[in-house]
Amino acid sequence: MQLFVNLPVKDLERSKAFFTGLGFQLFGMTDTMASVIISERTQVMLLTEPTFASYVTKDIADAGAATEAILVLGMENPAQVDELVDKALAAGATPAGVQQQDGFRYQRGFADLDGHHWEALCLVQPAS
């Protein structure tokens, strides 16, 4: 099974540059959509707002004003969490959520250029 998450974006070219700047590869690009490859079985589809609207019957949520979802990326270590979030912030993202750091997880978040909430998470395995 694969997972495709669809997100509306205002400026596709700007969003593509943002995600490639974070180190992600893109696939299946057209003038109105591009797929961010998260893993072998997970992709985030960036759709221009008119294209996204053609798939739904409700209004498109304003991700800058409300949280419609939190997209969480599992990282292998805390340094990867910091690297990804720091890159995102340097590329124009804004901090989002509440940083979590306890004995079991390290997590930081950012809102992308369209306000979508992303979290980078490293789960710490308990010592045996």
Side-chain angles (χ1 to χ4, degrees):
M1 186 178 303
Q2 292 184 300
L3 175 64
F4 298 91
V5 176
N6 295 283
L7 295 177
V9 298
K10 294 184 185 323
D11 183 334
L12 183 59
E13 292 304 315
R14 185 172 172 231
S15 293
K16 286 168 32 179
F18 175 79
F19 285 101
T20 57
L22 298 183
F24 292 103
Q25 293 185 2
L26 302 178
F27 173 78
M29 295 175 283
T30 71
D31 290 343
T32 63
M33 65 180 74
S35 179
V36 179
I37 300 172
I38 303 298
S39 72
E40 181 179 308
R41 302 185 93 30
T42 305
Q43 296 179 37
V44 173
M45 305 293 295
L46 306 174
L47 288 77
T48 61
E49 287 184 341
T51 300
F52 188 92
S54 74
Y55 290 97
V56 299
T57 57
K58 298 179 183 178
D59 291 339
I60 297 174
D62 178 356
T67 302
E68 81 277 42
I70 300 173
L71 303 156
V72 181
L73 300 169
M75 312 303 277
E76 292 188 22
N77 59 59
Q80 289 178 336
V81 169
D82 288 336
E83 179 182 1
L84 179 67
V85 174
D86 291 345
K87 276 185 186 178
L89 296 175
T94 56
V98 177
Q99 181 174 333
Q100 304 289 325
Q101 186 170 3
D102 55 32
F104 303 103
R105 68 180 165 194
Y106 179 64
Q107 182 173 338
R108 290 176 60 199
F110 64 90
D112 68 20
L113 304 178
D114 288 283
H116 303 293
H117 185 157
W118 294 79
E119 292 281 335
L121 166 70
C122 171
L123 295 176
V124 178
Q125 297 297 323
S128 23

CSV table of all heavy atoms in Angstrom, one decimal, residues 8-21 26 34 36 46-47 112-114 116:
chain,number,residue,atom,x,y,z
A,8,PRO,N,-2.8,21.7,-1.1
A,8,PRO,CA,-3.0,22.8,-2.0
A,8,PRO,C,-1.8,23.8,-1.8
A,8,PRO,O,-1.4,24.1,-0.6
A,8,PRO,CB,-4.3,23.5,-1.6
A,8,PRO,CG,-4.4,23.1,-0.1
A,8,PRO,CD,-3.8,21.8,0.1
A,9,VAL,N,-1.3,24.4,-2.9
A,9,VAL,CA,-0.3,25.4,-2.8
A,9,VAL,C,-0.6,26.6,-3.6
A,9,VAL,O,-1.3,26.5,-4.7
A,9,VAL,CB,1.1,24.8,-3.2
A,9,VAL,CG1,1.5,23.7,-2.2
A,9,VAL,CG2,1.1,24.3,-4.6
A,10,LYS,N,-0.2,27.8,-3.2
A,10,LYS,CA,-0.5,29.0,-4.0
A,10,LYS,C,0.5,29.2,-5.1
A,10,LYS,O,0.0,29.6,-6.2
A,10,LYS,CB,-0.4,30.2,-3.0
A,10,LYS,CG,-1.5,30.2,-2.0
A,10,LYS,CD,-1.4,31.5,-1.1
A,10,LYS,CE,-2.3,31.5,0.0
A,10,LYS,NZ,-3.6,30.9,-0.1
A,11,ASP,N,1.7,28.8,-5.0
A,11,ASP,CA,2.8,29.0,-6.0
A,11,ASP,C,3.5,27.7,-6.1
A,11,ASP,O,4.4,27.5,-5.3
A,11,ASP,CB,3.7,30.2,-5.6
A,11,ASP,CG,4.7,30.5,-6.6
A,11,ASP,OD1,5.1,29.6,-7.4
A,11,ASP,OD2,5.1,31.7,-6.6
A,12,LEU,N,3.2,26.9,-7.1
A,12,LEU,CA,3.8,25.6,-7.3
A,12,LEU,C,5.4,25.7,-7.4
A,12,LEU,O,6.1,24.9,-6.8
A,12,LEU,CB,3.2,24.9,-8.4
A,12,LEU,CG,3.7,23.4,-8.7
A,12,LEU,CD1,3.5,22.6,-7.4
A,12,LEU,CD2,3.0,22.8,-9.9
A,13,GLU,N,5.8,26.6,-8.2
A,13,GLU,CA,7.3,26.7,-8.5
A,13,GLU,C,8.0,27.1,-7.2
A,13,GLU,O,9.1,26.5,-6.9
A,13,GLU,CB,7.6,27.7,-9.6
A,13,GLU,CG,7.1,27.3,-10.9
A,13,GLU,CD,7.7,26.0,-11.4
A,13,GLU,OE1,8.9,25.7,-11.2
A,13,GLU,OE2,6.9,25.1,-11.9
A,14,ARG,N,7.5,28.0,-6.4
A,14,ARG,CA,8.1,28.3,-5.1
A,14,ARG,C,8.1,27.1,-4.2
A,14,ARG,O,9.0,26.9,-3.5
A,14,ARG,CB,7.3,29.5,-4.5
A,14,ARG,CG,7.8,30.1,-3.3
A,14,ARG,CD,7.1,31.3,-2.9
A,14,ARG,NE,7.5,31.8,-1.6
A,14,ARG,CZ,6.7,32.1,-0.6
A,14,ARG,NH1,5.4,32.0,-0.8
A,14,ARG,NH2,7.2,32.5,0.6
A,15,SER,N,7.0,26.4,-4.1
A,15,SER,CA,6.9,25.2,-3.3
A,15,SER,C,7.9,24.1,-3.7
A,15,SER,O,8.5,23.5,-2.9
A,15,SER,CB,5.5,24.7,-3.2
A,15,SER,OG,4.6,25.6,-2.6
A,16,LYS,N,8.0,23.9,-5.0
A,16,LYS,CA,8.9,22.9,-5.5
A,16,LYS,C,10.4,23.3,-5.1
A,16,LYS,O,11.1,22.4,-4.6
A,16,LYS,CB,8.8,22.8,-7.0
A,16,LYS,CG,7.6,22.1,-7.5
A,16,LYS,CD,7.3,22.1,-8.9
A,16,LYS,CE,8.4,22.2,-9.9
A,16,LYS,NZ,7.9,22.3,-11.3
A,17,ALA,N,10.7,24.6,-5.2
A,17,ALA,CA,12.1,25.0,-4.8
A,17,ALA,C,12.3,24.8,-3.3
A,17,ALA,O,13.4,24.4,-2.9
A,17,ALA,CB,12.2,26.5,-5.2
A,18,PHE,N,11.2,25.1,-2.5
A,18,PHE,CA,11.3,24.9,-1.1
A,18,PHE,C,11.7,23.5,-0.7
A,18,PHE,O,12.6,23.2,0.0
A,18,PHE,CB,10.0,25.4,-0.4
A,18,PHE,CG,10.0,25.1,1.1
A,18,PHE,CD1,10.6,26.0,1.9
A,18,PHE,CD2,9.3,24.1,1.6
A,18,PHE,CE1,10.6,25.8,3.3
A,18,PHE,CE2,9.2,23.8,3.0
A,18,PHE,CZ,9.9,24.7,3.8
A,19,PHE,N,10.9,22.5,-1.3
A,19,PHE,CA,11.1,21.1,-0.9
A,19,PHE,C,12.3,20.5,-1.5
A,19,PHE,O,13.0,19.7,-0.8
A,19,PHE,CB,9.8,20.3,-1.2
A,19,PHE,CG,8.7,20.5,-0.3
A,19,PHE,CD1,7.6,21.4,-0.6
A,19,PHE,CD2,8.7,20.0,1.0
A,19,PHE,CE1,6.6,21.6,0.3
A,19,PHE,CE2,7.7,20.2,1.9
A,19,PHE,CZ,6.7,21.1,1.6
A,20,THR,N,12.7,20.9,-2.7
A,20,THR,CA,14.0,20.4,-3.2
A,20,THR,C,15.2,21.0,-2.4
A,20,THR,O,16.2,20.4,-2.2
A,20,THR,CB,14.2,20.7,-4.7
A,20,THR,OG1,14.1,22.1,-4.9
A,20,THR,CG2,13.2,19.9,-5.5
A,21,GLY,N,15.0,22.3,-1.9
A,21,GLY,CA,16.0,22.9,-1.0
A,21,GLY,C,16.2,22.1,0.3
A,21,GLY,O,17.2,22.2,0.9
A,26,LEU,N,11.6,15.3,-6.4
A,26,LEU,CA,10.2,15.5,-7.0
A,26,LEU,C,10.0,14.5,-8.1
A,26,LEU,O,11.0,14.1,-8.8
A,26,LEU,CB,10.0,16.9,-7.5
A,26,LEU,CG,10.3,18.0,-6.5
A,26,LEU,CD1,10.1,19.4,-7.2
A,26,LEU,CD2,9.3,17.9,-5.4
A,34,ALA,N,3.0,18.6,-8.5
A,34,ALA,CA,4.3,17.9,-8.4
A,34,ALA,C,4.3,17.0,-7.1
A,34,ALA,O,3.6,17.3,-6.1
A,34,ALA,CB,5.5,18.9,-8.2
A,36,VAL,N,6.3,15.3,-4.0
A,36,VAL,CA,7.5,15.3,-3.2
A,36,VAL,C,7.6,13.8,-2.7
A,36,VAL,O,6.7,13.3,-2.0
A,36,VAL,CB,7.3,16.2,-2.0
A,36,VAL,CG1,8.5,16.2,-1.1
A,36,VAL,CG2,7.0,17.6,-2.5
A,46,LEU,N,1.8,18.2,-4.3
A,46,LEU,CA,1.6,19.6,-4.2
A,46,LEU,C,0.7,20.0,-5.4
A,46,LEU,O,1.1,19.8,-6.6
A,46,LEU,CB,2.9,20.3,-4.3
A,46,LEU,CG,4.0,19.9,-3.3
A,46,LEU,CD1,5.3,20.7,-3.5
A,46,LEU,CD2,3.5,20.2,-1.8
A,47,LEU,N,-0.5,20.4,-5.2
A,47,LEU,CA,-1.4,20.8,-6.2
A,47,LEU,C,-1.7,22.3,-6.1
A,47,LEU,O,-2.0,22.8,-5.1
A,47,LEU,CB,-2.7,20.0,-6.1
A,47,LEU,CG,-2.7,18.5,-6.4
A,47,LEU,CD1,-2.1,17.7,-5.3
A,47,LEU,CD2,-4.1,18.1,-6.7
A,112,ASP,N,5.3,25.3,6.4
A,112,ASP,CA,5.9,25.5,5.1
A,112,ASP,C,5.4,26.8,4.5
A,112,ASP,O,4.7,27.6,5.2
A,112,ASP,CB,5.7,24.3,4.1
A,112,ASP,CG,4.2,24.1,3.7
A,112,ASP,OD1,3.4,25.1,3.8
A,112,ASP,OD2,3.9,23.0,3.2
A,113,LEU,N,5.7,27.1,3.3
A,113,LEU,CA,5.4,28.4,2.7
A,113,LEU,C,3.9,28.7,2.5
A,113,LEU,O,3.5,29.8,2.4
A,113,LEU,CB,6.1,28.5,1.3
A,113,LEU,CG,7.6,28.3,1.3
A,113,LEU,CD1,8.2,28.4,-0.1
A,113,LEU,CD2,8.3,29.3,2.2
A,114,ASP,N,3.1,27.6,2.5
A,114,ASP,CA,1.7,27.8,2.5
A,114,ASP,C,1.0,27.6,3.8
A,114,ASP,O,-0.2,27.5,3.9
A,114,ASP,CB,1.1,26.8,1.5
A,114,ASP,CG,1.4,27.2,0.0
A,114,ASP,OD1,0.8,28.1,-0.5
A,114,ASP,OD2,2.4,26.6,-0.5
A,116,HIS,N,1.3,24.9,5.9
A,116,HIS,CA,1.0,23.5,6.3
A,116,HIS,C,2.0,23.1,7.4
A,116,HIS,O,3.2,23.4,7.3
A,116,HIS,CB,1.2,22.5,5.1
A,116,HIS,CG,0.3,22.9,3.9
A,116,HIS,ND1,-1.1,22.8,4.0
A,116,HIS,CD2,0.6,23.4,2.7
A,116,HIS,CE1,-1.6,23.1,2.9
A,116,HIS,NE2,-0.6,23.5,2.1
